[in-house]
Amino acid sequence: MADTLYADVSEWQVGVNDTYPHPVLCIRSNDGTYRDRRWVNNYDWCLRSVDSGRLTFFIVYFVWRPNWRETVETFKSQVRSPHPRMAVMLDVESWGGQISGDQSTGINAAYQEVAGYVGSATRVIGYGNVGDLNRIWPTKPAGIRLVVAAYGSNPPYPGKVAHQYTDGQGYGGGLPEGAPPFGRCDMNSADGLTAQQFAQACGVAPVPPVQLARRRRAFSRASSLSARRRLA
């Protein structure tokens, strides 16, 4: 079975560029009302790359905070007009005790608000480790897909669509601990899914085979032309 590997990055890494090798990328837009400083570079690259066929789809994530209304509004102002090949991920963590107790009401409200904004609840997924998902978000929307963080293990979890297997500090077990141009960083695997299947699981419609082949040919020609210009 195919596994789709992809990086998860923010301002703590260098900005993405054309050396990134995977068909999916996850980028941060905001943490509460704090705007990621790499956002403009990373988002613009994702938009260009998904239109050219370099990326199958991309994920934008924001860190959920109890001031969820302001958090969602910050996310919206970053994204402006949602791309149809963009999924959104709610990053739900305790942050060393900063967030505690059952926060399901606020998280689910943010989920519904974002679903309305992007036009489909299937394009909104969640993220967290097992402990935080159980304690902070015990009551989740039916059918939500989740990226589960677990370093050194790969636990089952209801709705799991991908596994964050490393923070770049080991645990990969032979899988990459990072990706160009970032170096070591958070890495994920959508186990058993091609990039197209992973996109569908995140609510992003598949690209028709003819259109996909056309995009790949155009991307290959553009890459060859760019390489020749560099050598000239």
Side-chain angles (χ1 to χ4, degrees), residues 37-111:
R37 293 179 296 171
R38 299 284 188 198
W39 171 252
V40 172
N41 176 86
N42 291 347
Y43 185 50
D44 287 353
W45 185 89
C46 284
L47 294 176
R48 293 193 307 272
S49 297
V50 80
D51 286 340
S52 72
R54 175 187 287 271
L55 288 180
T56 301
F57 80 113
F58 67 101
I59 302 168
V60 171
Y61 81 93
F62 65 85
V63 176
W64 185 90
R65 297 288 182 176
N67 62 340
W68 67 266
R69 291 178 180 83
E70 292 84 357
T71 298
V72 172
E73 287 306 312
T74 302
F75 158 77
K76 289 180 180 180
S77 70
Q78 295 281 76
V79 169
R80 302 184 303 276
S81 179
H83 194 285
R85 303 202 66 74
M86 178 191 81
V88 183
M89 186 173 79
L90 278 61
D91 182 343
V92 177
E93 300 182 59
S94 61
W95 301 107
Q98 294 178 32
I99 300 174
S100 61
D102 185 350
Q103 301 287 337
S104 298
T105 298
I107 299 170
N108 292 338
Y111 168 88

Side-chain angles (χ1 to χ4, degrees), residues 44-220:
D44 287 353
W45 185 89
C46 284
L47 294 176
R48 293 193 307 272
S49 297
V50 80
D51 286 340
S52 72
R54 175 187 287 271
L55 288 180
T56 301
F57 80 113
F58 67 101
I59 302 168
V60 171
Y61 81 93
F62 65 85
V63 176
W64 185 90
R65 297 288 182 176
N67 62 340
W68 67 266
R69 291 178 180 83
E70 292 84 357
T71 298
V72 172
E73 287 306 312
T74 302
F75 158 77
K76 289 180 180 180
S77 70
Q78 295 281 76
V79 169
R80 302 184 303 276
S81 179
H83 194 285
R85 303 202 66 74
M86 178 191 81
V88 183
M89 186 173 79
L90 278 61
D91 182 343
V92 177
E93 300 182 59
S94 61
W95 301 107
Q98 294 178 32
I99 300 174
S100 61
D102 185 350
Q103 301 287 337
S104 298
T105 298
I107 299 170
N108 292 338
Y111 168 88
Q112 293 295 339
E113 183 73 16
V114 173
Y117 178 64
V118 299
S120 173
T122 58
R123 285 172 60 191
V124 186
I125 65 176
Y127 165 92
N129 62 52
V130 170
D132 286 345
L133 290 172
N134 288 341
R135 288 188 293 269
I136 300 172
W137 197 7
T139 306
K140 303 174 186 65
I144 189 169
R145 310 308 297 267
L146 300 168
V147 178
V148 177
Y151 307 152
S153 65
N154 192 359
Y157 198 88
K160 185 174 77 169
V161 69
H163 169 220
Q164 186 172 100
Y165 62 84
T166 185
D167 58 359
Q169 303 302 313
Y171 311 105
L175 293 176
E177 297 287 345
F182 314 115
R184 290 179 175 266
C185 63
D186 292 347
M187 290 293 295
N188 309 266
S189 174
D191 296 337
L193 299 177
T194 65
Q196 286 271 51
Q197 291 169 333
F198 184 31
Q200 287 182 268
C202 295
V204 176
V207 178
V210 172
Q211 184 180 348
L212 182 63
R214 189 181 303 124
R215 284 185 178 186
R216 285 174 174 166
R217 286 196 297 271
F219 170 66
S220 178

